[in-house]
Amino acid sequence: MSNEQIKKYRNQAYQHLTNELLPFWENRCVDKDNGGYITHFDNNGNDSGEDEKSLIAQSRTVYTFSAAHRAGYGDGRYAEIAKHGVDFLIDKMWDSEHQGFYWLMNRKGEVLIDEKIVYGHSFAIYSLSEYTLATGDPRGLEYAIKVFDLLQIHGADIHYGGYFEMFHRNWELKGEGPAGGDRKTLDAHMHLMEAFTTLYEASGQQVHRRKLTEMIDLLIDKIMHPVHGTGIPQFWADWKVAPQIKFDIIWGWDRFSEDGFKSASEDNTSYGHNVEFAWLLMHALDILNIPYSQYQTQLLKSFDHAVAYGIDWEFGGVFVEGSHSGEVYDREKEFWQQAEVLIGMLDAYRVYEDPKYLKAYDATHQFVFDHMIHASVGEWLPLLSRQGQPIWNHMSHSWKVNYHSVRAMVQSIIRLDKLIARSA
């Protein structure tokens, strides 16, 4: 593939990021009346009115504007928007009695769900650490460290390793089954790796480095399939594979059957998660100053499984999920898998220089720009058919904000620039 084609990708990503994506959020999300962010928008980009502010959406939006500022966008405006979100997190969402962040509030900042969910706290660590790296405001790192310490006290499973994930307000572990107290997940642990990476980058503290390396080894030894190197979604506390179920108040509710179980609940893997894990692992190794070669077997398995089974070579884009051995179960196209595969395939090509990775990037890039971007509004559609027809058409809610789409463009541009410079 020519250098001119790579420059074309870069230009498309830059124009979309600076003229559509970032303006979409800058012009809509700041809640000047109540603090924090408005994160629910319909297909036309209008406020859809849901009266909620979730930890996940608030923290991810802090991350988005912090990372965009750190990458050189916004002429300082994005640092102010990030600060606006951090103020809300600390002043409204922080539980001063029991510590940690509440899961869900209304727009005014009144608590709706007071539970402590590790998935949300992983993004609090991630976003607040990024905020300090981007702006120098020490409050971000201060609260990121507070959350990290809470997880070591209340969440860490010192017997089997890893972290429990679902807690009541006072950090008492929740019950079994849909309450989630007896489960551990790939999702939460992968995002803890992501969070600990940025925390260590911001703090330089050895305890953060140590917990990051522990998390990497746990993910590879316990959570990735021992043969295929693909991610297994859910486990019991002792790391035996558990059927994938819907939790009471957390992610995944929109992709499950009515009985709350996933189809093929003990043999499914997400192509997007596998590639996201691989590029996040590479980034963690960069921050740790550890060579990729130490984890090359895992990295290649993660990338190659997605190329072999997850890329739709006929219509473009990335399928949702399939079996570990290769059968595709769900051929629809979700926004976040596309975003993560864009970054991951550029990393795979940058490091291993195999043209199949650039071809996989091309198939995903073209699908996103042809079908997934709602060009008249500026954000991405959440879910499309295999052929690219919208199934859901809202622009944003608590589970679909700006973190994946904006990060995909910011990080893709960084990698495309490296490829362009290398070819010059």
Side-chain angles (χ1 to χ4, degrees), residues 59 62-63 66-67 70 86 89 101 121-148 192 194-204 208:
S59 59
V62 167
Y63 170 82
S66 299
R70 189 179 174 197
V86 170
L89 283 173
F101 290 104
H121 283 81
S122 73
F123 279 97
I125 295 171
Y126 186 45
S127 63
L128 291 165
S129 300
E130 182 71 22
Y131 172 71
T132 291
L133 286 165
T135 68
D137 185 341
R139 293 182 306 156
L141 182 57
E142 176 191 352
Y143 275 84
I145 291 173
K146 285 183 178 182
V147 173
F148 172 87
L192 285 172
E194 171 187 53
F196 293 174
T197 299
T198 307
L199 176 62
Y200 174 58
E201 184 182 5
S203 76
H208 301 148

Side-chain angles (χ1 to χ4, degrees), residues 36-215:
Y37 306 116
I38 296 167
T39 55
H40 293 70
F41 300 102
D42 65 18
N43 184 252
N44 296 314
N46 298 319
D47 181 357
S48 54
E50 282 87 345
D51 187 18
E52 66 177 45
K53 287 177 177 169
S54 68
L55 174 58
I56 194 69
Q58 298 300 306
S59 59
R60 283 176 166 180
T61 305
V62 167
Y63 170 82
T64 292
F65 283 104
S66 299
H69 173 71
R70 189 179 174 197
Y73 300 96
D75 296 322
R77 302 188 309 277
Y78 298 155
E80 287 301 311
I81 296 175
K83 178 182 180 297
H84 182 82
V86 170
D87 291 342
F88 185 83
L89 283 173
I90 293 174
D91 296 342
K92 296 288 188 178
M93 299 199 82
W94 183 258
D95 181 351
S96 58
E97 181 179 356
H98 294 288
Q99 309 295 287
F101 290 104
Y102 297 117
W103 178 247
L104 189 68
M105 315 193 85
N106 65 18
R107 291 195 181 189
K108 291 182 179 179
E110 298 164 335
V111 179
L112 300 179
I113 297 176
D114 64 8
E115 295 177 359
K116 306 294 167 60
I117 309 299
V118 166
Y119 184 90
H121 283 81
S122 73
F123 279 97
I125 295 171
Y126 186 45
S127 63
L128 291 165
S129 300
E130 182 71 22
Y131 172 71
T132 291
L133 286 165
T135 68
D137 185 341
R139 293 182 306 156
L141 182 57
E142 176 191 352
Y143 275 84
I145 291 173
K146 285 183 178 182
V147 173
F148 172 87
D149 291 345
L150 285 167
L151 295 186
Q152 309 318 309
I153 294 168
H154 300 293
D157 182 348
I158 59 174
H159 184 63
Y160 291 112
Y163 295 82
F164 295 106
E165 302 180 21
M166 307 291 200
F167 297 88
H168 296 290
R169 181 188 174 191
N170 64 356
W171 291 97
E172 179 185 344
L173 189 64
K174 292 181 66 178
E176 299 177 351
D182 59 347
R183 303 284 180 122
K184 294 171 182 171
T185 67
L186 159 65
D187 215 354
H189 286 78
M190 181 183 72
H191 288 302
L192 285 172
M193 178 184 74
E194 171 187 53
F196 293 174
T197 299
T198 307
L199 176 62
Y200 174 58
E201 184 182 5
S203 76
Q205 292 185 17
Q206 283 302 303
V207 65
H208 301 148
R209 180 185 179 93
R210 194 163 65 246
K211 289 298 179 180
L212 172 57
T213 57
E214 284 179 13
M215 185 59 65

Side-chain angles (χ1 to χ4, degrees), residues 237-339:
D238 62 1
W239 295 109
K240 290 184 173 67
V241 177
Q244 193 178 2
I245 63 169
K246 178 179 73 172
F247 297 127
D248 284 342
I249 64 165
I250 203 161
W251 66 94
W253 61 269
D254 46 24
R255 307 294 290 157
F256 284 77
S257 60
E258 291 182 3
D259 64 4
F261 278 83
K262 199 85 164 181
S263 59
S265 62
E266 293 188 53
D267 180 25
N268 68 87
T269 192
S270 163
Y271 308 110
H273 267 157
N274 294 334
V275 175
E276 184 179 15
F277 166 73
W279 84 254
L280 287 173
L281 173 57
M282 294 173 91
H283 178 57
L285 297 175
D286 288 339
I287 299 302
L288 292 165
N289 196 28
I290 294 173
Y292 302 145
S293 58
Q294 289 192 24
Y295 294 90
Q296 180 168 309
T297 299
Q298 176 61 58
L299 289 167
L300 290 175
K301 283 183 176 182
S302 297
F303 289 130
D304 290 350
H305 186 275
V307 171
Y309 305 113
I311 301 295
D312 185 344
W313 295 108
E314 182 177 357
F315 294 101
V318 185
F319 297 129
V320 171
E321 67 184 19
S323 73
H324 296 284
S325 60
E327 180 186 356
V328 180
Y329 296 151
D330 188 337
R331 295 178 185 271
E332 292 173 348
K333 313 286 173 65
E334 270 186 302
F335 73 102
W336 68 266
Q337 283 101 335
Q338 319 306 311

